[in-house]
């Protein structure tokens, strides 16, 4: 179930963010820069979300 969810999320990222970023620019270096920044933001958001989830796990996990 997690792999299917991750695949759907990756597909949504490509369709909704990566493809419009790629098609918005004409020069190749601009396109790669836009993709790099998009993936950079994606990785940063995943990292922050993971840290928040881990923090919640530590706070709530001790009570179980």
């Amino acid at each position: 179930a997690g792999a299917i969810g991750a695949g759907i999320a990756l597909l949504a990222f490509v369709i909704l963010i990566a493809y419009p970023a790629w098609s918005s620019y004409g020069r190749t270096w601009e396109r790669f820069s836009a993709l790099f920044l998009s993936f950079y933001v994606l990785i940063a958001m995943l990292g922050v979300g993971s840290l928040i989830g881990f923090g919640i796990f530590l706070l709530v996990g001790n009570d179980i």
Side-chain angles (χ1 to χ4, degrees):
I4 293 172
I8 291 171
L10 182 63
L11 182 65
F13 175 78
V14 169
I15 291 172
L16 297 174
I17 296 174
Y19 180 72
W22 178 266
S23 62
S24 294
Y25 297 99
R27 296 180 180 151
T28 304
W29 69 271
E30 291 174 338
R31 289 179 170 188
F32 282 112
S33 297
L35 282 179
F36 173 76
L37 290 175
S38 296
F39 281 113
Y40 181 80
V41 170
L42 174 68
I43 291 169
M45 288 174 37
L46 289 173
V48 169
S50 297
L51 287 175
I52 291 171
F54 186 67
I56 291 172
F57 174 75
L58 288 177
L59 290 174
V60 176
N62 293 333
D63 295 336
I64 297 177

